[in-house]
Amino acid sequence: TPSHRASTSYAPERGVFPLDHFHECDASKTRYLECLARRERDATACATLSKAYLECRMARELMAREDLTQLGFRSEHARSSAARARRAPVVRAWIYSKPFGSRSARERAMARARRRRR
């Protein structure tokens, strides 16, 4: 006779939340999914729409209210400092490059900065 092992089951990490039976957040969900389709499934490009969808679910009590930084979203302060860090190489390239007497020198400096960011 085959022996049956008792298997242990584990609860989900974030808990269970109800489905959106009344389609209260369908508009934000649809915008997010369309963005993913347009951006070749790049979730970071559609992060603001994902955030809006989760906020909609929390507002309508379809999931527990939680700080969005706990769900993987950066705070506004962190986002603005990251944007400044990305712009910094371009500024440095402008400072240390040859004088911008001609437009081509400026374009070369900007191209160098773009290559460094990749």
Side-chain angles (χ1 to χ4, degrees):
T1 63
S3 64
H4 295 323
R5 257 188 180 159
S7 64
T8 56
S9 60
Y10 299 100
E13 234 180 86
R14 293 280 177 191
V16 178
F17 52 88
L19 297 175
D20 188 5
H21 291 292
F22 299 111
H23 307 283
E24 297 174 76
C25 297
D26 272 0
S28 56
K29 177 182 74 172
T30 304
R31 282 193 298 271
Y32 175 65
L33 292 175
E34 287 171 352
C35 178
L36 284 178
R38 278 193 317 270
R39 304 289 180 121
E40 298 175 355
R41 299 285 184 218
D42 181 16
T44 56
C46 305
T48 55
L49 295 172
S50 172
K51 184 177 175 182
Y53 174 64
L54 292 173
E55 286 173 336
C56 175
R57 290 190 62 88
M58 286 187 260
R60 288 162 177 77
E61 297 181 359
L62 293 170
M63 65 183 285
R65 181 148 304 275
E66 193 164 345
D67 186 16
L68 290 173
T69 57
Q70 296 296 319
L71 297 175
F73 293 97
R74 291 187 291 184
S75 66
E76 292 300 319
H77 175 71
R79 188 175 299 126
S80 64
S81 63
R84 276 195 304 275
R86 283 193 305 270
R87 284 194 304 263
V90 175
V91 172
R92 268 188 254 123
W94 288 350
I95 293 171
Y96 296 115
S97 67
K98 295 178 182 176
F100 295 123
S102 67
R103 185 178 174 133
S104 60
R106 181 173 189 251
E107 289 173 351
R108 284 194 304 270
M110 291 175 67
R112 272 196 310 273
R114 279 195 298 272
R115 282 193 300 269
R116 281 189 208 125
R117 278 190 270 158
R118 289 185 196 160

